[in-house]
Amino acid sequence: MRAPILVMLIFILVALSPTLVVSSYSYDNFAIAKPSCNDSCGHVRVPFPFGTTQECYLDKAFEVTCNHTSFVPPKLFLGEGGIEIADISLDGQMRVMQYIANDCYFPNGSSSYKNSPWIWLSSFTVNNTANKFTIVGCDAYAFVSGNRLGHDFTTGCIAMCSSEDDLTEGECAGVGCCQTPIPKDVWKIQVEVNSYSNYTNVLDVNRCGYAFVVEDSAFNFSKDNLTNLSLVETLPMVLDWAIGNGTCQEAKSNATGYACISANSECYEPKNGDGYRCRCEHGFEGNPYLTHGCKDIDECKNKTLNDCTKNEYCNNTQGTYTCSCPKHYIGNGQGVDGCKLSSKKQNMMIAFIFIGIASGIIVLLLAVNILFMELKRRSQKKKKQRFFLQNGGHMLQEKLARREASPEMVKIFSSSELEKATSNFSNSMIIGRGGFGTVYKGVLADRRTVAIKRSIRVDPAQIEQFINEVVILSQINHRNVVRLLGCCLETDVPLLVYEFISNGTLSSHLHDEAKARALDWSMRLKIAIDTAEVLSYLHSSASTPIIHRDVKSDNILLDHTLTVKVSDFGASKLVPIDLAQLSTVVLGTLGYLDPEYMQTNQLTEKSDVYSFGVVLLELVTGRRALSFDRPAEEKSLSNYFLYVLKQDLLVKIIDEKIACLGNMEQIYAVCKLAKECLNVKGEDRPNMKEVAMELQGLILGGKHPWERNKADSTEEMEYLLPNDHDGMGDVSSSVGYDSIRRDHIVLPINGGR
Ligand SMILES: *[C@@H]1O[C@H](CO)[C@@H](O)[C@H](O)[C@H]1NC(C)=O
Ligand SMILES: *[C@@H]1O[C@H](CO)[C@@H](O)[C@H](O)[C@H]1NC(C)=O
């Protein structure tokens, strides 16, 4: 709706502007007559010094009469009548209508007539440049006679023709038409036209001769004029008018009679005739014969009157104007390119433009950046949602909802929360790396320190099992279990968040010389008992049996009071049964892995028992489960242990840091228990509960119920003595489990089952 209105408005303005300008600049924007005097008669304007009454004209010479009675519209006459005035200009000219002289002949002679008009001017002169004495006819000669400079004068012209064919349109050179100029200073003329032979030879062409003084531009010869001029009475003639008959000098010295009374007027003398004239000085317009008649011309309103670069640069002054440049511009303001920006301003403009462009670019970049970030954020959000779904997020949410959330319950962390906690999973926050993934230390927003484990991608088929396990593990609230606080499912690989245990792993304590010394036998036994109890609890007491799957000294953490905190329950389950990845898994836990797993591909409670057996050996020997820097036969701790057992060389591998007389009985008992745990066949191993009870029994100094029928520990040790001596070769040749399988040591281990 707005556009048409705007267009209309512009249209109206455009349409109005020329009329406004024209009206304000029209020629009549100044008075030409005295106040309360008529300044026109019909179409003719009457400027002072002319006037119709004594009050209105300068003197009698300028008296004119406006005849309203005989003519409509009225006509103006010079003096009290006689010569009709067609036009008066302030430049000193006037146009009067002058009669034509004629001389006509008709065959019978009766109708012939002749007319010789004259004009006698008291104060004016016939203009010598604008007028021509003209004669039209084919058998005519004419005179113009009169007076100039006090003498009579006569001049003439002849016009002849023999047939109409001789005549040329527009050409007045003696054939049918003749013209001659009028001399200067003529104030009185009479025109007379005559015939040489009374038109007898050219009667068929022309019967009249005509002569007249006419304004040159008002007459253009035509063949028709030979006949049609008889219908015309008068033709315009230009007169010059001036004031008085003296010079400017004389007029000025005459105190009363000087006519140029307007300010900014000047006097000049005409080239033709006597007297003087007035005109407005340059830059003024109006009637110089009136008081205040000359008005300043505002050159600034009309572009053609000034040469300023723009009308706005123009300042009108009295009689003239000046051009000046606006602020910050230099130059004279004239011509096409009169004003130039001053260099300071120019620099400023450039600076502004530069700043403008620069800020534009910055804004654009910002916008693009924001857009980009927003897109990235959205795609990341989508990705997070996809991962969340993929990792069973909904399943977990449903389960949590069904169980009525309690603060103890597993929390679902957002990925950004954990990113913040670990400063974007920076390498400096890594506290552990293993076959199952990387462990980061993190500080949550509530200042809790946590361990965040990034495991390996979950097999989509096992998602439900994984989620179940997360829920179950999070519910375990045992003083010897590292608490699972929550998980994050928004990442490619699920992140598990555990409570942070400050004092490192059992492995690090055992294999660090100084720390190992601090770990005396009773301490080690305590660790063994606590670990065994936790495993037993998880295998039997928890609502669903939970198999650890990766029992090793690296997964047994110690807090600042050296209390056991078992970590990573069920974590290995997150690993898909994929051969490519299995190798990494086995590498990570080799030395602890249940040999039966090789055949069944299944980890059971008894697998944990086997692994725990290896941990017992580590506690007793202070050696690593698998040490590549030892001789080949000593590489696998379990194999080597069984070998030295057979060789009755047990003392050789017992850690000298704990070996003292008081401990030996217990140490041997633990070794015996370890051997049980390391049985190749899962069913031959005791279960975790039995192991835990056995270890507790050692502290109490009593004997385990299921071995009460045994005589004493020395006798017991006899069973530990090797009875098959070729086992050693196998151990040295491979890391297999054959030697163990062949090694049937009969032990009364049925009591606990
Ligand atoms: C001369 O003849 C032409 C053509 O007919 C005419 O227009 C013109 O008015 C005539 N001139 C005079 C002064 O009558
Ligand atoms: C401006 O002045 C010139 C010369 O005097 C004149 O011809 C023209 O009509 C004037 N223009 C306007 C818009 O008055």
Side-chain angles (χ1 to χ4, degrees):
M1 277 309 285
R2 247 175 221 188
I5 290 173
L6 201 70
V7 167
M8 256 172 66
L9 204 69
I10 288 171
F11 186 79
I12 288 167
L13 278 176
V14 166
L16 276 179
S17 52
T19 60
L20 285 174
V21 170
V22 165
S23 67
S24 65
Y25 288 101
S26 97
Y27 183 73
D28 338 69
N29 53 358
F30 51 84
I32 55 166
K34 277 188 164 181
S36 73
C37 287
N38 277 341
D39 68 351
S40 64
C41 172
H43 303 302
V44 185
R45 316 233 30 216
V46 184
F48 186 80
F50 293 88
T52 49
T53 62
Q54 198 172 354
E55 295 79 44
C56 293
Y57 54 69
L58 180 68
D59 64 45
K60 196 79 179 152
F62 297 99
E63 184 184 10
V64 291
T65 309
C66 190
N67 190 339
H68 294 269
T69 51
S70 317
F71 305 100
V72 177
K75 282 188 174 177
L76 188 69
F77 292 93
L78 193 57
E80 283 163 8
I83 303 172
E84 185 193 341
I85 300 174
D87 187 42
I88 303 173
S89 90
L90 275 169
D91 302 335
Q93 265 86 49
M94 67 196 291
R95 200 173 277 122
V96 297
M97 302 309 290
Q98 169 60 6
Y99 289 96
I100 295 175
N102 49 33
D103 177 32
C104 294
Y105 297 88
F106 294 92
N108 56 8
S110 62
S111 308
S112 303
Y113 63 89
K114 187 180 170 96
N115 175 26
S116 304
W118 53 266
I119 186 168
W120 187 334
L121 302 163
S122 53
S123 342
F124 307 138
T125 321
V126 177
N127 185 298
N128 62 312
T129 52
N131 298 309
K132 284 270 161 58
F133 177 57
T134 306
I135 163 172
V136 173
C138 279
D139 179 19
Y141 65 95
F143 306 105
V144 57
S145 55
N147 195 292
R148 60 184 293 269
L149 308 172
H151 303 283
D152 288 340
F153 85 95
T154 300
T155 182
C157 213
I158 299 171
M160 305 294 282
C161 80
S162 47
S163 84
E164 220 168 302
D165 300 338
D166 296 347
L167 307 172
T168 314
E169 290 288 322
E171 202 172 287
C172 194
V175 182
C177 178
C178 176
Q179 277 187 327
T180 184
I182 299 289
K184 272 186 176 180
D185 302 315
V186 173
W187 57 269
K188 176 184 166 189
I189 50 170
Q190 176 158 23
V191 178
E192 188 187 331
V193 58
N194 294 305
S195 166
Y196 286 109
S197 50
N198 297 344
Y199 289 83
T200 45
N201 301 327
V202 290
L203 275 177
D204 53 332
V205 184
N206 171 239
R207 295 172 182 190
C208 291
Y210 309 96
F212 42 86
V213 175
V214 71
E215 185 179 359
D216 197 17
S217 57
F219 180 76
N220 192 19
F221 176 67
S222 157
K223 287 174 192 175
D224 300 341
N225 294 138
L226 288 173
T227 47
N228 69 15
L229 269 176
S230 61
L231 305 171
V232 179
E233 229 184 357
T234 57
L235 283 173
M237 178 173 78
V238 178
L239 301 182
D240 288 330
W241 61 265
I243 312 286
N245 47 19
T247 62
C248 283
Q249 198 92 49
E250 288 161 6
K252 278 179 193 163
S253 57
N254 180 353
T256 53
Y258 187 49
C260 308
I261 55 169
S262 171
N264 304 307
S265 69
E266 58 190 11
C267 180
Y268 70 101
E269 282 150 27
K271 296 202 169 78
N272 182 28
D274 293 332
Y276 64 93
R277 288 189 199 139
C278 307
R279 64 185 169 208
C280 289
E281 285 171 357
H282 187 77
F284 293 87
E285 61 180 0
N287 190 337
Y289 302 99
L290 295 173
T291 332
H292 309 304
C294 290
K295 306 268 190 246
D296 175 49
I297 297 172
D298 189 349
E299 292 89 353
C300 296
K301 285 189 177 170
N302 185 336
K303 189 73 199 72
T304 61
L305 297 181
N306 68 65
D307 65 348
C308 296
T309 309
K310 282 183 181 176
N311 268 1
E312 297 92 271
Y313 299 172
C314 178
N315 310 308
N316 186 46
T317 59
Q318 283 294 307
T320 181
Y321 65 93
T322 56
C323 299
S324 60
C325 292
K327 215 176 156 189
H328 304 307
Y329 283 79
I330 47 171
N332 58 11
Q334 291 169 346
V336 183
D337 204 9
C339 293
K340 289 223 163 36
L341 256 185
S342 67
S343 57
K344 193 174 147 198
K345 180 77 178 180
Q346 215 164 349
N347 289 345
M348 240 160 80
M349 289 268 282
I350 289 170
F352 271 125
I353 290 170
F354 184 77
I355 289 169
I357 291 173
S359 51
I361 289 172
I362 289 171
V363 167
L364 196 76
L365 284 181
L366 273 179
V368 166
N369 197 30
I370 288 169
L371 196 74
F372 181 74
M373 298 285 272
E374 176 63 18
L375 286 179
K376 197 169 151 192
R377 198 183 62 79
R378 279 189 197 182
S379 90
Q380 259 177 1
K381 199 176 161 193
K382 256 192 203 148
K383 208 155 125 193
K384 282 181 189 174
Q385 276 170 346
R386 204 182 64 231
F387 285 140
F388 188 73
L389 271 182
Q390 198 175 296
N391 291 330
H394 282 317
M395 221 182 283
L396 183 57
Q397 276 175 335
E398 266 169 39
K399 278 186 198 295
L400 294 184
R402 243 181 282 146
R403 278 165 200 257
E404 287 191 359
S406 75
E408 299 290 295
M409 204 65 97
V410 61
K411 183 181 171 202
I412 301 179
F413 289 93
S414 73
S415 58
S416 54
E417 235 174 316
L418 297 189
E419 270 162 24
K420 223 175 279 170
T422 57
S423 23
N424 246 330
F425 296 102
S426 86
N427 281 347
S428 62
M429 302 298 265
I430 294 178
I431 49 172
R433 230 192 269 267
F436 295 129
T438 314
V439 185
Y440 295 85
K441 181 178 175 176
V443 181
L444 295 181
D446 60 9
R447 294 180 167 277
R448 258 191 305 168
T449 309
V450 292
I452 298 167
K453 180 163 178 180
R454 192 211 282 268
S455 29
I456 292 167
R457 185 174 285 113
V458 184
D459 180 0
Q462 296 191 356
I463 284 294
E464 185 160 11
Q465 222 173 335
F466 162 70
I467 294 298
N468 277 334
E469 205 133 316
V470 166
V471 172
I472 291 165
L473 289 176
S474 71
Q475 285 172 310
I476 298 170
N477 197 359
H478 191 286
R479 60 183 286 270
N480 295 121
V481 176
V482 177
R483 243 176 89 63
L484 177 68
L485 300 175
C487 61
C488 170
L489 303 174
E490 287 175 352
T491 44
D492 182 9
V493 171
L495 300 169
L496 297 174
V497 181
Y498 293 97
E499 76 177 297
F500 182 76
I501 306 300
S502 54
N503 214 358
T505 63
L506 173 61
S507 170
S508 70
H509 278 265
L510 281 178
H511 306 303
D512 179 289
E513 195 66 26
K515 281 183 183 171
R517 212 167 285 285
L519 222 53
D520 63 14
W521 171 243
S522 63
M523 206 82 90
R524 294 187 191 194
L525 193 56
K526 173 99 173 29
I527 288 169
I529 291 167
D530 284 349
T531 310
E533 273 177 351
V534 167
L535 291 174
S536 155
Y537 165 74
L538 289 164
H539 285 180
S540 53
S541 318
S543 51
T544 319
I546 298 168
I547 305 169
H548 189 292
R549 291 160 217 271
D550 195 18
V551 177
K552 55 180 175 181
S553 57
D554 280 316
N555 277 338
I556 296 166
L557 307 180
L558 299 175
D559 71 3
H560 58 285
T561 61
L562 294 180
T563 306
V564 164
K565 296 278 186 180
V566 179
S567 82
D568 256 3
F569 273 98
S572 63
K573 191 158 199 178
L574 309 185
V575 180
I577 309 306
D578 168 334
L579 283 179
Q581 289 191 5
L582 187 65
S583 59
T584 35
V585 175
V586 171
L587 264 184
T589 53
L590 203 64
Y592 295 92
L593 194 64
D594 179 2
E596 229 180 19
Y597 174 71
M598 290 309 201
Q599 279 124 32
T600 60
N601 261 352
Q602 211 143 35
L603 289 168
T604 63
E605 286 105 316
K606 290 297 175 63
S607 308
D608 281 356
V609 174
Y610 181 91
S611 306
F612 181 71
V614 180
V615 173
L616 285 182
L617 292 187
E618 272 188 278
L619 286 168
V620 170
T621 63
R623 294 187 180 208
R624 288 181 194 278
L626 208 60
S627 29
F628 293 98
D629 50 357
R630 288 180 188 270
E633 67 272 17
E634 292 183 31
K635 219 181 267 175
S636 164
L637 180 59
S638 51
N639 284 2
Y640 186 56
F641 166 72
L642 293 173
Y643 166 73
V644 296
L645 210 53
K646 262 188 225 169
Q647 301 289 318
D648 198 8
L649 295 170
L650 202 52
V651 183
K652 221 174 113 183
I653 63 165
I654 287 174
D655 193 349
E656 73 264 17
K657 292 192 251 339
I658 54 164
C660 70
L661 261 168
N663 296 340
M664 282 324 281
E665 197 179 329
Q666 283 181 341
I667 290 172
Y668 279 129
V670 170
C671 287
K672 194 189 121 213
L673 189 58
K675 186 184 179 300
E676 295 294 323
C677 294
L678 294 175
N679 262 322
V680 172
K681 277 199 174 142
E683 56 191 64
D684 295 340
R685 300 170 202 155
N687 63 26
M688 228 36 241
K689 193 172 179 178
E690 290 163 347
V691 174
M693 283 168 71
E694 177 70 13
L695 289 168
Q696 272 169 340
L698 287 178
I699 288 194
L700 298 174
K703 284 175 185 163
H704 197 274
W706 54 267
E707 48 177 0
R708 249 171 228 149
N709 56 339
K710 289 288 150 209
D712 59 40
S713 58
T714 17
E715 191 189 337
E716 219 173 276
M717 283 314 291
E718 275 167 23
Y719 290 96
L720 291 169
L721 296 178
N723 56 5
D724 181 355
H725 290 275
D726 48 25
M728 182 63 197
D730 286 300
V731 172
S732 61
S733 62
S734 73
V735 196
Y737 300 90
D738 288 1
S739 62
I740 308 170
R741 203 177 295 147
R742 247 188 270 151
D743 181 23
H744 292 296
I745 298 169
V746 184
L747 271 177
I749 53 169
N750 298 321
R753 301 204 191 169

